[in-house]
Amino acid sequence: MPSSTKLPRRISLTQYLVEQQREHGRIQPPLRLLIEVVARACKRIAIAVNKGALGDVLGSTDQSNVQGEVVKKLDVIANEVLVEANEWGGHLAAMASEEMDSIHVVPNRYPQGEFLLLFDPLDGSSNIDVNVSIGTIFSVLRKVGHGRGVSEEDFLQPGKHQAAAGYCVYGPQTTLVLTVGDGVAMFTLDRETGSWVLTEDQVKIPQDTREFAINMSNMRHWAEPVRRYIDECLAGQEGPRGGDFNMRWVASMVADVHRILTRGGIFLYPWDKRDPGKPGKLRLLYEANPMAMLVEQAGGMASNGAQRILDIVPTRLHERASVILGSRNEVERVTSYHRG
Ligand code: AHG
Ligand code: MN
Ligand code: MN
């Protein structure tokens, strides 16, 4: 008997989205288009990232952004790619980005859609020049009011209203991780065919973990509950947890969250005493919220210590948040220390 010539069934991002639309009624064509456009933009960013020094994309510009951080060349490139790709398709009303002070309304010459797109164009900027994994994070909201007008207020919705969220990690592989509210799916970029191939569906984060991620250099600034949690982990076998813990800190939230979605773990970027008026370092609308939605969709938990991240009602576009997310039982433990 000749061996079968049947090709292995490969599901593309397009097919996944069509099935989400057709079989599950989860998404409508404009949202499908939006996600495909974002995924295409990420492909372009991945190409720029891979070129590195050959593409003159490394290093900084002489500008700083609205958060007072030095802007890297790749921050600007990624931002431009995402804005240009998304403004003409008719699926969006406006965009917001870590690298833009205020919202970018779709120009009048293009039709206006019902969605709002928010992104961190390049996450992990300090890792660009040292060839460590970086990424793009995005969040999709529905514009609540009708009519053509759109303002910053339209973006100030709690994360639980996100229609979709995801990130792309530019690492040894380029992986797009997506949720449209029906679990979490991972797509790997096949560079030979240029398509995103479904490589993991219904991702689940283990409930328990023995691995934490936090920037330990800030230890002296932490609040008591975080200090207690990490001290107990560090005490290992002889301590109250009765076991040894491992630590990882990539300093790219995308890479740390990707590890947690893959094998479990807990990630903390908590409030600290350095700047007590600031809730944390990470931005709520385009870092904490999309990651919280992905983590919850994968069975994990995401909290700021006092409440579920997805319930926080934002008051400003570039608002920050304290972030504790990952394996459910560990996040639950840290939040219980905050209650105590
Ligand atoms: P960005 O590059 O978009 O500004 O984000 C960097 C963030 C996040 O990706 C990471 O977890 C954290 O900053 C790293 O902070 P430290 O420099 O304190 O390690
Ligand atoms: Mn970031
Ligand atoms: Mn960034």
Side-chain angles (χ1 to χ4, degrees), residues 69 75 98-99 120 122-126 215 218 249 251-254 256 267 269 281-283 287:
E69 298 159 346
D75 289 322
E98 179 190 337
E99 304 302 341
D120 175 356
L122 214 292
D123 176 66
S125 300
S126 73
N215 184 341
N218 297 324
W249 184 251
S252 291
M253 190 192 200
V254 276
D256 282 311
F267 170 96
Y269 213 122
K281 175 181 182 182
L282 299 174
R283 280 56 55 118
E287 288 179 319

Side-chain angles (χ1 to χ4, degrees), residues 66-122:
V66 68
Q67 355 252 337
E69 298 159 346
V70 174
V71 177
K72 298 281 173 73
K73 283 188 198 167
L74 217 45
D75 289 322
V76 178
I77 294 167
N79 193 68
E80 279 171 6
V81 167
L82 282 158
V83 170
E84 276 171 23
N86 279 286
E87 67 179 1
W88 51 269
H91 50 285
L92 283 187
M95 291 173 250
S97 159
E98 179 190 337
E99 304 302 341
M100 300 191 290
D101 298 5
S102 45
I103 64 167
H104 177 90
V105 179
V106 166
N108 277 327
R109 59 184 182 279
Y110 301 124
Q112 213 180 65
E114 58 175 310
F115 290 103
L116 306 171
L117 175 66
L118 302 90
F119 44 84
D120 175 356
L122 214 292

Side-chain angles (χ1 to χ4, degrees), residues 36-324:
E36 296 229 45
V37 173
V38 170
R40 206 150 52 225
C42 288
K43 248 190 262 184
R44 283 189 57 195
I45 298 169
I47 290 167
V49 168
N50 288 147
K51 285 208 168 121
L54 300 176
D56 192 24
V57 299
L58 305 184
S60 303
T61 66
D62 51 11
Q63 295 146 18
S64 45
N65 63 17
V66 68
Q67 355 252 337
E69 298 159 346
V70 174
V71 177
K72 298 281 173 73
K73 283 188 198 167
L74 217 45
D75 289 322
V76 178
I77 294 167
N79 193 68
E80 279 171 6
V81 167
L82 282 158
V83 170
E84 276 171 23
N86 279 286
E87 67 179 1
W88 51 269
H91 50 285
L92 283 187
M95 291 173 250
S97 159
E98 179 190 337
E99 304 302 341
M100 300 191 290
D101 298 5
S102 45
I103 64 167
H104 177 90
V105 179
V106 166
N108 277 327
R109 59 184 182 279
Y110 301 124
Q112 213 180 65
E114 58 175 310
F115 290 103
L116 306 171
L117 175 66
L118 302 90
F119 44 84
D120 175 356
L122 214 292
D123 176 66
S125 300
S126 73
N127 282 324
I128 297 172
D129 296 350
V130 293
N131 202 358
V132 171
S133 294
I134 50 182
T136 296
I137 311 174
F138 63 94
S139 159
V140 182
L141 292 166
R142 261 185 204 88
K143 185 163 89 79
V144 185
H146 292 291
R148 206 171 159 99
V150 54
S151 71
E152 194 165 305
E153 281 201 336
D154 291 300
F155 286 79
L156 305 181
Q157 305 178 35
K160 63 185 170 197
H161 294 327
Q162 289 170 106
Y167 65 79
C168 180
V169 56
Y170 314 111
Q173 302 108 43
T174 300
T175 310
L176 182 77
V177 179
L178 173 72
T179 181
V180 291
D182 181 30
V184 175
M186 292 184 178
F187 303 85
T188 305
L189 181 60
D190 181 337
R191 284 182 185 273
E192 278 145 43
T193 60
S195 69
W196 294 105
V197 180
L198 181 69
T199 40
E200 206 70 61
D201 198 4
Q202 296 300 334
V203 172
K204 286 282 166 274
I205 300 176
Q207 308 273 296
D208 293 295
T209 182
R210 293 270 169 188
E211 192 165 72
F212 65 87
I214 192 164
N215 184 341
M216 292 287 287
S217 69
N218 297 324
M219 185 178 236
R220 68 192 183 286
H221 307 296
W222 295 338
E224 191 43 43
V226 172
R227 178 121 204 181
R228 174 181 168 196
Y229 174 73
I230 299 296
D231 279 348
E232 289 180 1
C233 294
L234 295 175
Q237 193 81 55
E238 293 76 38
R241 303 297 307 275
D244 294 334
F245 279 72
N246 190 23
M247 195 204 86
R248 287 287 184 275
W249 184 251
V250 184
S252 291
M253 190 192 200
V254 276
D256 282 311
V257 170
H258 194 67
R259 183 187 60 255
I260 288 170
L261 284 170
T262 307
R263 68 174 188 212
I266 178 170
F267 170 96
L268 304 96
Y269 213 122
W271 171 90
D272 69 43
K273 293 175 203 147
R274 277 175 297 177
D275 193 349
K278 230 165 59 178
K281 175 181 182 182
L282 299 174
R283 280 56 55 118
L284 175 62
L285 291 174
Y286 41 81
E287 288 179 319
N289 273 343
M291 292 312 202
M293 182 175 180
L294 288 163
V295 165
E296 284 200 5
Q297 285 287 320
M301 185 173 163
S303 163
N304 68 356
Q307 68 180 134
R308 182 181 173 226
I309 283 177
L310 295 181
D311 284 337
I312 300 173
V313 181
T315 56
R316 285 182 308 113
L317 194 60
H318 297 288
E319 175 168 336
R320 303 193 186 233
S322 184
V323 175
I324 305 159

